[in-house]
Amino acid sequence: MSFSEQCRGQVSSRYLAAEKGAYPVVLSACQRAVTEDQGFLVKALNALAALTEGQPDLLDPKGLQLLVDTLKQHLGVAEVTCSGLRCIRHVCLKHEQNRQNLVRAGILPLLTGTIERHSCRANVVKEACSALRVMTFDDDIRVPFGHAHDHAKMIVQENKGLKVLIEAAKAFPDNPTLLGELCATLSRLAVRNEFCQEIVDLGGLKIMLTLLADCFDHPELVRQVLSVLRAIAGNDDVKDAIVGAGGTDFIVMAMTRHLSSPQICEQSCAALCMLALRKPDNSRMIVEGGGALAALQAMKTHPKEVSVQKQACLLIRNLVARTQAFSQPILDMGAEKLITEARATHQECDDVAKAALRDLGCKVELRELWTGEKGDLAL
């Protein structure tokens, strides 16, 4: 069994290899191979990727420079690029400092450039999307705050990230796995009002709704498309564009079709919740299109899934907050019982459930946590 296979097999094997000094040996092999044999370079990079998975602290300045140089020098070689991208993803996952160092070293234009350069190679585009997406994570608990938002802005504003991803989506209409990666990355970049609008202007909304209509047999892709709609609906003008294009019907259809999937139910409710926020006309479309009923069915189907219960409560609240006329029809669907059960079962749902019950006109005890009055303090 090869070193790479040993490291990929078990976490303990990777940890033992690192403890015994494998990193400098593997790095040295990569450095020698950069200017020599491409076939050996692929094997060396695969070993480095396997070793650093879950061990991003192993990366040192020499390794970082190697990864940047490898992508620069071998951008046209698909296999080498794939292996290098995998290394970048592994050393950046849950490691904020590595992300920032790589961004400063110029990795972002190399990642978007890879997608453009290899626009016909699904495996390369997939790896590049994954690496690009990791740059927008804020998952390192060792730092008080990260640069996820700044990195997302740089990808969009300085490296044409949205256009690159949407063009790639157009090139692979029949590859659900890759489309899911592209959608997951797009949703991470919709961090500003103007970025949401740009996705629509570039044809992204049309692509998302087409995928939602045509790819019902691919649950993971459906979930990722819903996450994009949820993200871009943060823009009020985009909300109206989604509803105007029939988006609410597609979302309700997706939730009804995949009612057994808590992930799809959560994302569907969250997307509808965003569309209803501050938009009474959109709320009417959602209620008349069966959105409220589908959300309550999701609550009934997944009573133990706190994320589903929470998003459904938020949706119900948004639907009735500015249109009290919807309260009684939704109560007639059994909303009060389901929301009350969610509140009793999940502590995380307490606030949103109370808000939903209050706006539905139900009797709910709102406890005053502090009156502002000075009292005796006991130390």
Side-chain angles (χ1 to χ4, degrees):
M1 185 181 288
S2 71
F3 176 81
S4 297
E5 291 170 333
Q6 285 276 10
C7 287
R8 280 196 294 265
Q10 296 182 34
V11 176
S12 57
S13 298
R14 293 197 292 275
Y15 179 78
L16 180 62
E19 195 177 48
K20 297 298 183 182
Y23 176 77
V25 176
V26 174
L27 180 62
S28 177
C30 292
Q31 290 170 327
R32 287 199 307 273
V34 166
T35 55
E36 297 176 8
D37 181 8
Q38 287 183 352
F40 179 61
L41 178 58
V42 170
K43 292 179 181 178
L45 288 171
N46 286 342
L48 184 62
L51 179 63
T52 55
E53 184 177 1
Q55 301 187 106
D57 285 332
L58 292 175
L59 187 72
D60 61 5
K62 290 182 179 179
L64 185 146
Q65 195 58 52
L66 168 86
L67 294 177
V68 174
D69 291 343
T70 298
L71 281 192
K72 283 181 180 177
Q73 296 171 24
H74 300 276
L75 191 61
V77 185
E79 285 192 353
V80 174
T81 301
C82 256
S83 299
L85 291 168
R86 201 171 298 119
C87 291
I88 289 166
R89 173 162 54 88
H90 287 174
V91 299
C92 287
L93 198 61
K94 297 185 178 179
H95 204 295
E96 180 63 24
Q97 195 58 57
N98 283 350
R99 282 193 286 259
Q100 292 184 26
N101 290 342
L102 278 163
V103 168
R104 279 195 289 269
I107 200 66
L108 296 182
L110 291 174
L111 296 179
T112 53
T114 296
I115 297 173
E116 289 184 297
R117 177 72 177 269
H118 295 277
S119 57
C120 295
R121 295 179 180 272
N123 60 330
V124 183
V125 174
K126 181 176 179 294
E127 285 290 351
C129 275
S130 297
L132 201 61
R133 188 164 65 254
V134 171
M135 295 298 168
T136 69
F137 285 4
D138 190 10
D139 57 359
D140 190 342
I141 61 172
R142 299 171 296 184
V143 296
F145 59 88
H147 289 190
H149 187 85
D150 294 333
H151 292 169
K153 282 169 56 181
M154 292 171 70
I155 291 167
V156 175
Q157 294 177 331
E158 300 174 20
N159 299 284
K160 306 180 297 180
L162 296 177
K163 183 179 180 181
V164 167
L165 293 172
I166 289 171
E167 289 302 315
K170 293 175 183 176
F172 296 96
D174 301 317
N175 191 326
T177 302
L178 176 55
L179 288 167
E181 289 286 340
L182 290 163
C183 288
T185 309
L186 269 177
S187 66
R188 297 290 309 182
L189 298 180
V191 296
R192 293 170 68 98
N193 226 34
E194 61 267 32
F195 296 173
C196 298
Q197 187 62 54
E198 186 178 344
I199 290 173
V200 176
D201 295 342
L202 289 168
L205 174 57
K206 184 178 179 181
I207 292 173
M208 294 304 117
L209 296 182
T210 300
L211 290 176
L212 212 51
D214 296 344
C215 298
F216 274 120
D217 294 332
H218 301 282
E220 180 57 24
L221 176 55
V222 169
R223 184 179 73 82
Q224 296 294 1
V225 170
L226 290 168
S227 75
V228 175
L229 294 176
R230 173 187 184 178
I232 64 176
N235 178 314
D236 281 353
D237 292 332
V238 174
K239 283 181 175 66
D240 294 339
I242 293 172
V243 173
T248 54
D249 291 336
F250 287 122
I251 295 170
V252 173
M253 200 182 306
M255 180 160 39
T256 305
R257 177 77 173 267
H258 297 282
L259 197 60
S260 61
S261 167
Q263 294 82 12
I264 289 179
C265 287
E266 176 196 355
Q267 290 296 336
S268 298
C269 287
L272 292 174
C273 181
M274 290 300 294
L275 294 174
L277 183 63
R278 301 186 302 271
K279 291 285 186 177
D281 288 341
N282 293 353
S283 296
R284 178 179 55 78
M285 295 285 287
I286 292 168
V287 173
E288 291 178 356
L293 181 59
L296 295 173
Q297 287 290 345
M299 293 182 76
K300 197 179 297 184
T301 305
H302 303 286
K304 296 181 180 179
E305 296 288 342
V306 63
S307 56
V308 175
Q309 300 295 315
K310 189 172 183 179
Q311 291 300 329
C313 287
L314 284 167
L315 170 59
I316 297 302
R317 193 254 170 172
N318 282 359
L319 290 175
V320 300
R322 298 196 179 203
T323 313
Q324 289 298 310
F326 296 147
S327 295
Q328 193 55 51
I330 291 175
L331 285 170
D332 291 342
M333 298 173 193
E336 183 176 5
K337 180 174 181 292
L338 288 168
I339 296 172
T340 302
E341 288 174 353
R343 183 185 174 194
T345 305
H346 305 287
Q347 187 177 357
E348 299 96 317
C349 288
D350 189 56
D351 288 340
V352 294
K354 281 193 293 188
L357 290 170
R358 178 199 64 211
D359 289 353
L360 281 166
C362 301
K363 184 178 180 181
V364 58
E365 180 184 353
L366 299 173
R367 187 162 57 95
E368 194 171 28
L369 297 179
W370 184 56
T371 62
E373 296 177 0
K374 184 179 179 181
D376 294 331
L377 294 177
L379 298 179

